[in-house]
Amino acid sequence: QSNLLPMDFFLGFISFFVVIVGGIVIGVVFGFMAVFMTRFTERTPVLEPLVIFMYAYVAYIVAEMTGLSGILA
């Protein structure tokens, strides 16, 4: 006798997609923030990689802290 109900499989499936889509959304939001910030670093191109890596790391940390997929962020 199994303790799993069909509703448990459905909720697990939904939870899986919420984690994936949430991680992607966080990555896109922080990506747009990085794009708009690098528009203002034309005179200092040395700062562009720093800004990109900083936003990538912050997106990963935010996604992990909220329980979403940090790898996809």
Side-chain angles (χ1 to χ4, degrees), residues 3-18:
N3 291 334
L4 293 175
L5 301 173
M7 189 63 166
D8 294 332
F9 288 109
F10 177 72
L11 291 176
F13 188 72
I14 295 299
S15 174
F16 177 73
F17 278 105
V18 166

Side-chain angles (χ1 to χ4, degrees), residues 4-49:
L4 293 175
L5 301 173
M7 189 63 166
D8 294 332
F9 288 109
F10 177 72
L11 291 176
F13 188 72
I14 295 299
S15 174
F16 177 73
F17 278 105
V18 166
V19 168
I20 288 176
V21 171
I24 291 172
V25 167
I26 287 178
V28 167
V29 167
F30 277 96
F32 277 119
M33 288 170 52
V35 165
F36 289 126
M37 180 161 282
T38 56
R39 290 181 72 176
F40 302 111
T41 60
E42 292 172 353
R43 285 183 264 154
T44 55
V46 177
L47 291 177
E48 288 182 13

